[in-house]
Each structure stands twice: as structure tokens, then as C-alpha cells.
């Protein structure tokens, strides 16, 4: 048995670890930027795909299949990102005679198209955000919808996307004028004035349910994850379980997720994402037909190995006993560590990692895709790895997160580690009072930058500086990417991308 | 060895004297003794007379700038040696008024996707100057204030290093 | 709250991690050999004790108490080893006004003296190895005992110790002659011919039960650990649970351990050690009144933090809810990593650790007392740290151990890591067929040395050698401690200590 | 660059030729091509034509000796350059017969606790020579064969480094 991971970084490392645990041989693929990457050095086989740009390497279906043929791989795992939710890739794997570790191309397709998935979920009885199914001919038609669904509602351009032409309406009085303006904006932006309405879920949380299905009709839900801490729609910190989901809500969420999985015959690891409103109603958002970045928090709490289970079911095995009988224990939190500088608007910080000190001890797991000396290339997503902590309850998980962050040190590139240290001091985080917009709101004011280092004793800093210089430890070559960054801070703010 | 450290323009000022492993740290006339030891990973472990232990790391950032990381966080400070001269020069510099000529430099290595201005163009504050792509993110660089583009050092498609000069604006 | 750890290495690091999780400030103590050790660099306070020799540093009660006074510590934790089971130290802490994190000096004393503890255990109904309570006046008296206890028995010199003067007797026919010889040997070695008899437990396993008691009378048993894999009476690999302990035996072991704990009013973390015979009878061996080296396997399986719990109960808290209601999940294995070379008869290998690559990923925990650049001093126990793996069952734990050992790399000193890699290939280990003598028997033939490297492809080795030289990676300065070790191997064998 | 490697006295012999990153490895007349790349941690990642990847590390042990660690384990080999000359010299050396003079050296740094012999003493095979204490363990060094102590280089109480000469026995 031999498995090729059509991916790089920490997820390739994670899947190779599962392969080693299962006794499956491993095949790495790499671009020219990754020849010396950890995922290559740990594999039994490795094949060069092409130059650094992803479309010539990790996104090239032809080259990936060629690599699988060269090394006589039986299985192909897409990881996440890249081709993880590409139905054509899944189909090409199948047609090439390889077992694709993921759902069938048909399932990927059905969940990929938002309108189709919405339709199938509605049929399966899974709650979706109430919305009109066709453009409104008049404000009155929208008013009728709003009376059924309740205010506030959101007007959306039928031809639109990316937030343009969207307009919130809080009551019937505003409706007529809002409809006029939304329609005019839709005409202006998209050349089509058609507008429809959806119920607006205010202050929602992003809650997702982990499901695992096998190819014999078995399917289980392994609780939910809390993924509301997002920056610009990107998850930053994830938890399991959600601190606000009660057993009753969990049971309803699990039922809905399983109904969604069964409706499409889901036969792999997957995630059903929901919006959870403050009144505990929830709505289907989308289904991710892959192993999620944040799967380790579920692994920690439920005591399962999702990466291994995904391979097992791809091989045709039934769900394992420990997955069927899994029970939750404790609380887990994951932090995604990016090569981005929170003090400079999360500007990417590619470069060479000069030192890496990983945390350890009880309840701490670090899944890293880099090591000391690794080069973080410009060409890909700048995630370096993930820190996962597990404790008996949320308080202990937070305490252990604080301990792990004290031990964690990454030098050479800027990382999001200071963001998590800052987060630990936020009472909203500690008391779990946040929704999907909370982090963006808090970051607007430059909060992370302000707190950083403010509590440090200046006597300590000065003594470290001199002793370090005396010992020749502070380095003679200043880091190019940081040259005079302090004095330039004002300028940098003004130049930051939007 | 003796050096003074300045905590931000106009911040407090601390003097450290001694030779490894014993140093005297003076602030506001008060003096503390500290033993400093290099750790295998390049950090410095400080031991104060009352037993307090702090381990931290210093990294040089520019000529006079050092960034110190301790468990309490990260801060930058300026080494001032001799103290008075540097101090006044920094203060003069800070008081010298607004920018006359601004050099726009790349904050990270990347590829220039688009250049919206050419030499001689007038730009307004907030006007788009160019788009730099790095790590799958497009970063729009905008002018901090109005002016005239004196020089355009790059073209679309070009790869630039961190710190590379992109534009000069007057 | 401020806690001083009167210890060094990984156990000091472990306890400081627990302190950080509990929000307690930490005080490290160090000898001149340990100024730059990880346990010092992570502490909030640190105090020099004295020169490297333990009696002038880690074993000096006066200096330890002085350090606690200097730093205004409230609690003193002894770790394991050094003064961990010293009643005088526990008493000195109490009299100095410090809270000793461990049982009272009276409890330590009562369990320290073997004859006293045997007596108390017998009274408490805990099974002890049947034996005569006074010297035998004649072979006939021993014969009477043997008829009650059953053969084989062991004759022991009353004044003896260290295995001298011990003699196995398999049946009544041998008894008279054996008694004569044993008595003569006892006279020769100890100047006292008195002899008594004990039942001989053949092919025993070392099984121990974790107990936790609080200062309000609460006590629980958290299952057993399998510690039969020993080299010269030193534990090498520990597991939780024991692969041979059935629920029925577990229940009896737990009852016996709790009876032992209650008999002495045990109010801390502790361990009751038993010999388990192949027929499932078991006998009290001794009680360890400290946190054991191998406590993390219990933590992994039972989902508790024993180090934190030990501090909590020392502060007077009741047993926590999660300890009271703890349930076992999966299987854990710990490997003790020593700076010893298994290929040279486990010769100590002090020196500087030039590189350290720690394993990570699901189910892997590395508790290390050293880091890259650390100097392993001559003066103390050469344990560098511990690798702990956890899986859904023993098979998965073993698979994960194999994976972690592939990732683990320690350079600069020889370590016992190759011993564990060898162990994974031993069918007796995989199928859990071993007793306390198994490892010593297997090691007698130089088994570890033989297997090492035998499967490596010579083409690979040669290519690594040349490419490494071309890249300047192989190092210009040969390691002094290994100079010409290959050609000296024959000589080394002859010189090895007994 | 071209070198040959010998796997233990009398073992097989492999020749590697080429320059980074491409090498040809020859054994018994058969030849394989391999790409070798240095990893950040000092290991070498090998990539064979069939896609096989192995990462390993080489450490020099003595003049001609290299220890190679790979996931399959650890082995020592001797670099022979030029091949024939070294090979025969090693074989001659191995054939030269039993030890005439044995130098007893410290296998690890430690403290000499006790010396049981003095220069001129006769010792029997298995006879105790001295006791060395290291890391809380007492190591009894015993003679591998009978002889006469020619030299005693140390005394009880002395601290010795690894490799230090302790005794010479004829």
C-alpha cells in the first residue's frame, strides 16, 4: 500500500504520520521551492512536480497523476486547499486507477455548487438561511418574504458577489427605498438590477460539525467545533466543543449534519458548517468535503485519529469501533500559526526560519510543516503549522495554551504567535463572548500592537540587550525585512494593503 | 562595557554597566545588580539579587535598534552611545517636521502585479500606487499624502526584495 | 503562591508546567552544572545552591530551605529522586513553614522502612509475599512454612542483602541440604548464620497502581501501570494499562492499593507497587510516596494532570471532579531516554547535545529536561527526558511509538533511543510476553547491537557519506568520546563494568 | 569527487562519484543515479531514479571513519581513498595478530575512584584494574587478558576525559 499526498506543509506531514501509524508507504510531491521541506524528507518516495508556482506544481493534475504512476502509488490524498475540493481531480484520480482519499467527484460537485447544495439540503430537511429562490419583481414581493422570515433581512444582487450591492433592511418602513437603491447598485455594478432577499442572521457564530462516513452506509457525527474567531473570513482559532453549544443544540446540530451527509451519501471525513444565531437557531452554510485544518481539536477531545480513519474508509473499511463509540473528553483549542506580522496588518513575512522552539508537555501538540532552517516561500499559503492544546475543560485548555505560547519561539520570520498571546488577555475570549465579526472589530484599532511588550520591565530589556551584545548573541547582520521598522511604523500603516 | 538604552523617542532611559556575567542597571538614579548568562539557544538568562529570573533574546534590527523578546512580549529600543549626543540628534530629527520626500519601499519580497502611476504623475492621499503580490495576497500600496511621483523604480511583473525602492514621491 | 522545585531536569520542567497551568509562580534551584539548564530558564525565580556534586546542591536540605526563604516560596516540591522520599526533608520543610508537596514525613517514614510497611500492609489486609517473620531454628521449621506457602521458596539471610546468601528451594527433598548451605553462607558473608524463608514468586511482572489522596480523607486509584520492562532493576519502558491485567484483577489491585493508602492516611500522589505472578496472584512490594517518573502514561489514559492534582491536594483542596470521575481511554507507553549507549553496555554518555529533533503529531508527548546545546553533566542520573505515546489501543500506541522514534533525533551524546527501536521489532514486546527479567535476558546476548543498522541499504549509506562530505555537513571535528570506537569494540566489551 | 567506502573490514565496497547534487553509486559493477540535497538540519536527502527518498546523516568519527544514521539504523563505514592501498593496509593490520601492548583508555569522562594495580604488577584476565565513576555509576575496568602493567597514568581521585590513557598492559 502506498499513498501520495498531493499537498505540502503541515497537512502533508500530518497525513504521512497517519500513514506511518497504518503501515502505509508514503509518496511526497514537491515544487522547486520545497525540495528540502520536512514533508519530502520524511517520505519513502518523493517526486518533483515542477517550478514553484502552484499551477505548475501542486495544482497540476497531470503532473500529480504522473508522479503517482512513477511511484506506483495506490492512493492519492488531496489534503486541504489546492485540489482538495476539485471534482475534476477526484475524477482524474479515479479514472487513472487510483483510490482518491475523499468523497466521490459527484459528492464534491453537488456540495461545491452553492445553489445545488442549498436545494439538496432543503430537501433533506436541513435548515438553510431563509431566502427567496428567485429575484423579486417588486418591493412588495420582498415585503411578503420579510413578513414570513422576520426582519432584519439582506437584499442581494442576483448577479452579484463579494458583498457589493448588499443592503440591510431592518423594517418595513425602510423597504421601498432600500429596494430602489439596491437595484440601482446592482445595475451599476453587475449590469443587472435583479435583487432578492435573504434573512439576515445577526451576530452569528460559525459552528461546524465533524462527520465521518464509510462506503458501507455508516456515518457518525463527532460533535461540533467553534470557529467564530476569524480574521477577514479566515479562521484563526478553533475550539472543540463550542463553549455555547448545549447538549440539546449539539444533538440538533448533529442530526442536521448527519441528514446532510446522508442526503449526498457522504463516505469520507467531512464538515458541515452552520451559522448559529444568538437565539440558538442555526442554518446550513456549506459542506467541506475534505479534512479540515482544524481537525486536531476534534481528535483531541473525541480520542480518534481522523486522518487515519479517512484513509481506512477510503480503502473500503467500515467505520472503526472507536469512531462509532467515541465520547468527548475535555476541551481543545487550536491556533493557526501564520508567517504574518500582526503588528503590521498581518503582512506576509516570508523568509528563513532561523530557530524554532516547540512547546511540549501534557496536553500540547504542535503540528508543524516547517523546522529550523526551513524557507517559507512566497508562493503558497503562509501557514507554518498549528498549536493544539487539550485540557479537562476550557479553563485548563486556555491555561495550557498560555503555557505553550510561553514556550513557543519562532525566529527569522514574523508570526501570528503574538496575536494568540494577546487573545489570552481579552476577557471576551476568556468568557467566550464573540461572534464571527468580533476579531475584525477588535483588530481595527490596532489592539494587538498596543499591548505587545507593554508589561515588560525596561530594566530587564536593557540588561538583555547589553548582555546579549557582550556575548555576541544579538547577531551582526540585521534582518533585512525589519530594517528600521520601528521608525517606519507610521509610514507602513499608510501603505498597508486594504 | 557601558551603554544606555532609550525606550522610544522621548521614552525612559536606562544605563547598563559591567562585564559578563555581572552588570549594574541604572534607571532614575536607582541601581540594580544582575547576573547574565547565555543560554544554548542564544537567549540570555538574567538573575536579579532577589532571585527573579527572566530569559530573553535580543536581535539587532538596524544600526542602533535592538528588538528584545521576553515572556512579557516584544519591544524595540535604541542603543544610545554616547547618550546625550544621540538623544538630542533623535529629538531634533523628530522635530524637523513632515515628510518632504517619501521613498516607498517594499515591505516584503513579492511580485509587482500592477503599477498605477508613472514618474511625473500627481497622486492624492489614499490614491493607489501599485499592487504587490506576496504569498497569495495582493497588497495595494496607497499614498499616505498627496504629491508628485518623482521616480518609478519598478515595472509590473518584476520581483522585488524586501526593502527595495519602488517609488519616490515629493 | 510560589512553588520551589527541589530538583532538576525533566521533572522540574514538568512541575513548572503544572504551576503555569495553575497560575502559581515558580522557583528553580540549580547547581553550578545547571545554570543554563531549561528548568532554570523557564522559572520566575532561580537560586544557586552550590557546586555540581548533589550533596552540596540538590541534596542539601539547608541550602534548599534557604533558597525557599530567599524567594518567599510557599510550597516545596521534591520531584522524584534526590530528597523525594526523605522524611527529614519533608519534616524540615514543615518546620520551616513551607507546604511540602507530598505526604507527611510520618507517612514517608512508615513506608520507607520495609519491615514496618510489610507489617502495616498485612494488618490492612494487603497481600504481601508470604514469609516467615523470624529466623528458622531448623530445616523442619522452614519445611512447615513451605507446606503452607507452597514451593518454590527462597531462603534468605536474616542479616543479609544484595542477593548474597539467597538460595532457591524447589521441593522438600532439597530443603535440608539447602538450609545447611544457606546458613553457612550467611555465616560467611554476614557473620550471622540466621536464615528465614519467603515464597518465591516466579516470572513476576511489576505492576503498580496510581493512587491520589487528599487531606480530607478522599482517595482514588487510577488504574495500574505495567513496569516489567526493566534493565538491572531500573524501569525502561512503562505502559498503562498493563496488557495482562483483566478488569477483575484491576479491581482487586485497586482495592488493595486503596487499602494500603487508607492504612497510612495517604494524602498525595503515590504509587503502590505489586509483583503479579503468572497465576494472577499479586503481592505488595512497596509504596512510592512521590510522583513517579512514569506518571504521564496514567495522565494520557485517564485524562488527568497528576502533577497539578498533587499540588492542589497539598494546598488542602479536595480531589478534583475529573480525578474522582476519571475513566480510562486507550493505551499509553513511555520510554525513558537516557544518555547511555545500548551498544556499549549502556555506558553513560555525558557531553553536549549538539542537536535535538523532537517528535510531534497526534498521540505524542516528549517531556525533555534538555534542549539543543544542553550539557549533560556527569554528576546526576543521565535521564534526558521521556517519550510518551498514546493511542486508542496498544497496537496503535506501538505504531505511534514507532513513528515518534523515526522522528526523534538526539545528537552529541549516545542515547537509549536505539534500544526502543530494537524493542519494536521484538515479538515478545509486541505480544506483551515479558516479565521483570525478560529484558536483561535478551540484552545478555548483545541483541541491540546486532540488529542496529543491519537493514540499511549500503548504497544509501555510501551516498549519504559522500554527499555529506561534499556539502561540508559531516563535521570536521570528530567527536572525542567516539574516536575509533568501531575498531575498539572488542576491547570495549572486555573493559565494560559489571 | 569520487570516493570508495568499505563496510567493515572484509565487507562490501561501494564507490560514489559526481558533484552536488547528482551522484553515481556503483556496487558490484551495477550503477545507480541519485540526487542528494542538504536539509536545513544537516541531514542529506537522497532521491533515487525510481523516486525512493531516504534522509540520513553522516558524522565523522575518526580519521577514516564515518557513522551514517538513516531511519533504518546506524552504521559505521571507512572511507578508503585511494581504495586499493587503504584496503590492503587495513587487511594487513587486521591480520597482524593478537594484541601485544594494550592501552586501557577511559570510555567516558569520569572520576577514578580506585586503582587496584601499579606499574610492574602482574594481572590475570578478568582481574580488576580500576574503578571509574561516571553519572552515579561505578564502572569496574577489568583486564581482557593476562599481562604486566607497564604504566599507570592516573591516580585515585583524578578526573579523566573520554579517551584518556589510564594504564598500559603488556
Amino acid at each position: 500500500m502506498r499513498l501520495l499526498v498531493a499537498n505540502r506543509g503541515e497537512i502533508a506531514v500530518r497525513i504521512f504520520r497517519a500513514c506511518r501509524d497504518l503501515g502505509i508507504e508514503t509518496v511526497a510531491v514537491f515544487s522547486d521551492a520545497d525540495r528540502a521541506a520536512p514533508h519530502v524528507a520524511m517520505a519513502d518516495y518523493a517526486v518533483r512536480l515542477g517550478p514553484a508556482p502552484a499551477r505548475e506544481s501542486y495544482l497540476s493534475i497531470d503532473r500529480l497523476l504522473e508522479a503517482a504512476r512513477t511511484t506506483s502509488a495506490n492512493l492519492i490524498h488531496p489534503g486541504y486547499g489546492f485540489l482538495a475540493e476539485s471534482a475534476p481531480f477526484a475524477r482524474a484520480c479515479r479514472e487513472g486507477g487510483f483510490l482518491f482519499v475523499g468523497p466521490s467527484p459527484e459528492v464534491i460537485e453537488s456540495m461545491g455548487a452553492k445553489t445545488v447544495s442549498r436545494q439538496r439540503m432543503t430537501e433533506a430537511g436541513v435548515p438553510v438561511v431563509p431566502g427567496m429562490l428567485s429575484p423579486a419583481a417588486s418591493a412588495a414581493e420582498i415585503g411578503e418574504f420579510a413578513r414570513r422570515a422576520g426582519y432584519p433581512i439582506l437584499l442581494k444582487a442576483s448577479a452579484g458577489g463579494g458583498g457589493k450591492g448588499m443592503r440591510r433592511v431592518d423594517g418595513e418602513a425602510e423597504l421601498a427605498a432600500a429596494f430602489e437603491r439596491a437595484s440601482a447598485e446592482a445595475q451599476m455594478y453587475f449590469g443587472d438590477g435583479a435583487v432578492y432577499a435573504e434573512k439576515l442572521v445577526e451576530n452569528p457564530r460559525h459552528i461546524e460539525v465533524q462527520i465521518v462516513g464509510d462506503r458501507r452506509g455508516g456515518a457518525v457525527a463527532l460533535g461540533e467545533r467553534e470557529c467564530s474567531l476569524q480574521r477577514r473570513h479566515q479562521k484563526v482559532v478553533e475550539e472543540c466543543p463550542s463553549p455555547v453549544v448545549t447538549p440539546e443544540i449539539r444533538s440538533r446540530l448533529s442530526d442536521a449534519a448527519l441528514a446532510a451527509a446522508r442526503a449526498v451519501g457522504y463516505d469520507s471525513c467531512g464538515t458541515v458548517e452552520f451559522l448559529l444565531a444568538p437565539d440558538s437557531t442555526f442554518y446550513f452554510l456549506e459542506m467541506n468535503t475534505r479534512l479540515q485544518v482544524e481537525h486536531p481539536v476534534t481528535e483531541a477531545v473525541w480520542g480518534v485519529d481522523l486522518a487515519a480513519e479517512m484513509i481506512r474508509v477510503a480503502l473500503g473499511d467500515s467505520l472503526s469501533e472507536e469512531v462509532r463509540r467515541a465520547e468527548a473528553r475535555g476541551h481543545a483549542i487550536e491556533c493557526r500559526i501564520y508567517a504574518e506580522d500582526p503588528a503590521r496588518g498581518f503582512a506576509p513575512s516570508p523568509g528563513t526560519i532561523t530557530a524554532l522552539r516547540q512547546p511540549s508537555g501534557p496536553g500540547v501538540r504542535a503540528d508543524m510543516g516547517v523546522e529550523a532552517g526551513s524557507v517559507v516561500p512566497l508562493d503558497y499559503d503562509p501557514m507554518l503549522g498549528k498549536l493544539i492544546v487539550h485540557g479537562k475543560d476550557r479553563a485548563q485548555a486556555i491555561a495550557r495554551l498560555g503555557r505553550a505560547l510561553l514556550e513557543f519561539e519562532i525566529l527569522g520570520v514574523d508570526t501570528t504567535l503574538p496575536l494568540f498571546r494577546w487573545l489570552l488577555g481579552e476577557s471576551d475570549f476568556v468568557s467566550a463572548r464573540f461572534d464571527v465579526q468580533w476579531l475584525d472589530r477588535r483588530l481595527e484599532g490596532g489592539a494587538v500592537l498596543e499591548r505587545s511588550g507593554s508589561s515588560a520591565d525596561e530594566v530587564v530589556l536593557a540588561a538583555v540587550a547589553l548582555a546579549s551584545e557582550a556575548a555576541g548573541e544579538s547577531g551582526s547582520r540585521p534582518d533585512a525585512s525589519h530594517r528600521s521598522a520601528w521608525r517606519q511604523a507610521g509610514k507602513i500603516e499608510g501603505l498597508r494593503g486594504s | 562595557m557601558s551603554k544606555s538604552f532609550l525606550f522610544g523617542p522621548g521614552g525612559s532611559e536606562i544605563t547598563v554597566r559591567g562585564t559578563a556575567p555581572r552588570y549594574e542597571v541604572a534607571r532614575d538614579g536607582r541601581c540594580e545588580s544582575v547576573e547574565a548568562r547565555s543560554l544554548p539557544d542564544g537567549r540570555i538568562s538574567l538573575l536579579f539579587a532577589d532571585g527573579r529570573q527572566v530569559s530573553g533574546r535580543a536581535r539587532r534590527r538596524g544600526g542602533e535598534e535592538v528588538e528584545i523578546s521576553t515572556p512579557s512580549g516584544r519591544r524595540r529600543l535604541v542603543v544610545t552611545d554616547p547618550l546625550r549626543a544621540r538623544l538630542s540628534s533623535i529629538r531634533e530629527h523628530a522635530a524637523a517636521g513632515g515628510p518632504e520626500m517619501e521613498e516607498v519601499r517594499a515591505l516584503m519580497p513579492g511580485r509587482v502585479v500592477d503599477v498605477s502611476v508613472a514618474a511625473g504623475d500627481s497622486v492624492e492621499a489614499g490614491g493607489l500606487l501599485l499592487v504587490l503580490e506576496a504569498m497569495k495576497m495582493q497588497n495595494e500600496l496607497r499614498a499616505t499624502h498627496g504629491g508628485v511621483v518623482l521616480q518609478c523604480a519598478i515595472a509590473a511583473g518584476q520581483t522585488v526584495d524586501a526593502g527595495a525602492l519602488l517609488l519616490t514621491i515629493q
Side-chain angles (χ1 to χ4, degrees), chain A, chain B:
Chain A
M1 203 70 69
R2 198 171 290 167
L3 183 148
L4 180 147
V5 174
N7 217 306
R8 63 183 298 280
E10 75 85 20
I11 191 61
V13 171
R14 171 68 188 94
I15 296 162
F16 288 158
R17 282 179 170 145
C19 288
R20 283 181 171 175
D21 290 354
L22 293 168
I24 294 174
E25 289 186 311
T26 54
V27 182
V29 290
F30 61 89
S31 76
D32 288 338
D34 281 339
R35 173 65 183 89
H39 79 282
V40 177
M42 77 186 291
D44 299 312
Y45 292 80
V47 181
R48 175 185 179 269
L49 292 174
R55 66 183 177 283
E56 298 175 68
S57 51
Y58 300 105
L59 289 174
S60 168
I61 293 179
D62 288 349
R63 294 181 194 192
L64 288 164
L65 293 187
E66 181 56 32
R69 276 188 291 271
T70 303
T71 53
S72 306
N74 322 90
L75 299 116
I76 296 179
H77 196 306
Y80 54 70
F82 293 128
L83 297 167
E85 290 176 281
S86 158
F89 181 54
R91 189 166 285 121
C93 288
R94 187 165 69 186
E95 287 167 1
F98 304 104
L99 218 46
F100 180 78
V101 183
S104 70
E106 292 74 24
V107 168
I108 297 176
E109 246 152 19
S110 70
M111 300 315 288
K114 294 276 148 95
T115 51
V116 177
S117 74
R118 194 180 155 88
Q119 183 63 30
R120 295 191 73 159
M121 291 305 107
T122 307
E123 286 164 18
V126 178
V128 298
V129 175
M132 299 169 65
L133 298 172
S134 53
S138 65
E141 201 177 316
I142 290 177
E144 203 173 303
F145 164 78
R147 275 187 294 279
R148 284 201 314 276
Y151 285 97
I153 57 167
L154 199 63
L155 302 189
K156 286 183 166 183
S158 290
K164 279 173 182 155
M166 296 210 313
R167 191 162 285 276
R168 176 194 172 117
V169 183
D170 282 304
E172 191 136 13
E174 304 168 19
L175 185 58
F179 178 70
E180 290 297 320
R181 280 198 300 272
S183 188
E185 276 176 24
Q187 183 67 41
M188 188 173 73
Y189 284 122
F190 308 110
D192 177 356
V195 163
Y196 72 102
E198 249 182 38
K199 179 165 173 61
L200 175 67
V201 181
E202 287 194 290
N203 303 114
R205 284 176 179 254
H206 176 121
I207 304 287
E208 58 185 33
V209 176
Q210 176 69 49
I211 53 167
V212 194
D214 62 28
R215 291 183 176 168
R216 296 152 182 243
V220 293
L222 295 174
E224 82 288 352
R225 291 186 288 258
E226 164 71 71
C227 306
S228 300
L229 287 168
Q230 303 183 357
R231 196 182 76 83
R232 299 187 180 178
H233 308 293
Q234 294 289 315
K235 295 168 189 167
V236 171
V237 173
E238 301 98 345
E239 304 185 38
C240 177
S242 165
V244 299
V245 167
T246 62
E248 186 269 328
I249 304 175
R250 180 167 303 122
S251 159
R252 288 195 291 124
L253 278 166
S254 295
D255 289 349
L258 280 175
R262 292 206 179 98
V264 294
Y266 199 81
D267 57 357
S268 184
C269 279
T271 296
V272 187
E273 296 187 335
F274 296 96
L275 279 184
L276 177 68
D279 67 358
S280 299
T281 56
F282 57 81
Y283 306 98
F284 173 84
L285 204 57
E286 64 178 37
M287 180 156 177
N288 295 310
T289 56
R290 61 168 192 266
L291 191 66
Q292 299 274 93
V293 174
E294 59 270 27
H295 75 274
V297 290
T298 298
E299 291 188 327
V301 169
W302 291 78
V304 296
D305 186 330
L306 289 172
E309 190 76 3
M310 190 175 182
I311 297 169
R312 288 186 66 261
V313 296
L315 288 167
D317 287 359
S318 301
L319 290 177
S320 64
E321 267 305 286
E322 80 273 7
V323 163
R324 282 179 197 282
R325 292 178 305 147
E327 282 181 35
R329 183 161 94 180
H331 193 97
I333 303 176
E334 174 185 277
C335 296
R336 298 187 183 193
I337 302 162
Y338 282 93
E340 292 177 345
D341 186 358
R344 292 192 299 154
F346 294 85
S349 177
T352 300
I353 293 174
T354 53
L356 179 60
R357 212 155 50 95
Q358 279 185 37
S360 190
V364 174
R365 166 178 166 190
D367 273 23
M368 301 302 290
V370 295
E371 57 191 5
S374 288
V375 176
V376 182
L378 267 171
D379 307 270
Y380 318 110
D381 180 85
M383 194 168 82
L384 304 178
K386 306 171 313 201
L387 169 63
I388 304 105
V389 294
H390 182 214
K392 66 185 181 191
D393 51 26
R394 191 166 186 269
Q396 193 183 51
I398 288 176
R400 287 176 164 182
L401 179 58
R403 184 237 300 166
L405 288 170
L406 272 177
E407 297 180 14
F408 217 142
E409 198 177 24
I410 300 177
L411 300 179
V413 301
D414 286 306
T415 72
T416 48
L417 288 173
L419 172 71
F420 309 123
R421 295 190 185 110
W422 164 83
L423 198 58
L424 288 171
E426 288 291 294
S427 62
D428 284 349
F429 170 69
V430 174
S431 56
R433 284 190 309 262
F434 48 76
D435 58 26
V436 293
Q437 285 104 24
W438 179 85
L439 186 58
D440 280 327
R441 285 195 303 267
R442 289 291 290 125
L443 290 178
E444 268 168 25
V448 181
L449 189 59
E450 273 165 32
R451 175 118 36 91
S452 174
S454 60
S455 67
D457 180 346
E458 295 179 345
V459 164
V460 165
L461 300 178
V464 168
L466 188 79
S468 194
E469 201 178 323
E473 295 281 17
S474 51
S476 53
R477 204 168 52 92
D479 186 344
S481 68
H482 293 93
R483 198 169 290 137
S484 265
W486 180 32
R487 251 173 293 171
Q488 283 192 356
K491 190 182 295 183
I492 286 161
E493 283 298 311
L495 295 178
R496 194 188 304 153
S498 61
Chain B
M1 199 167 189
S2 169
K3 292 224 170 170
S4 293
F5 298 88
L6 185 67
F7 286 81
S12 61
E13 161 201 336
I14 293 174
T15 303
V16 189
R17 274 191 195 84
T19 47
R22 292 244 149 250
Y23 298 92
E24 301 291 320
V25 193
R27 175 171 56 180
D28 306 334
R30 275 174 311 144
C31 200
E32 252 185 296
S33 173
V34 63
E35 191 233 308
R37 167 80 176 238
S38 292
L39 299 179
D41 63 4
R43 286 181 301 160
I44 300 287
S45 165
L46 300 180
L47 208 49
F48 290 88
D50 63 354
R52 252 185 327 135
Q53 193 281 142
V54 185
S55 292
R57 185 187 298 282
R59 282 175 291 171
R60 285 181 55 183
R61 289 311 209 179
E64 308 126 346
E65 225 172 44
V66 185
E67 185 184 86
I68 311 291
S69 327
T70 70
S72 311
R74 227 190 263 182
R75 270 182 76 177
R76 301 230 166 111
L77 45 100
V78 173
V79 185
T80 58
D81 186 22
L83 178 63
R84 301 292 159 206
R86 298 296 312 150
L87 204 62
S88 51
S89 113
I90 285 167
R91 280 179 183 151
E92 270 165 41
H93 188 82
E100 292 162 355
M101 198 168 78
E102 186 183 28
E103 293 184 347
V104 180
R105 291 179 177 275
L107 294 175
M108 64 206 93
R111 292 191 194 85
V112 177
V113 175
D114 190 39
V115 183
S116 310
V117 294
D121 284 5
S122 286
V123 291
E124 289 177 18
L128 182 65
L129 301 172
L130 55 86
V131 181
L132 188 69
E133 185 180 276
M135 300 172 104
K136 295 172 66 182
M137 253 181 66
Q138 294 217 340
N139 298 274
E140 299 180 358
L141 272 65
R142 295 175 180 279
T144 47
H145 49 86
V148 175
V149 178
L150 283 187
Q151 186 202 359
C152 179
I154 40 77
Q158 203 174 319
T159 302
V160 295
D161 286 336
L165 181 68
L166 305 173
L167 302 168
T168 315
I169 299 174
Q170 180 131 45

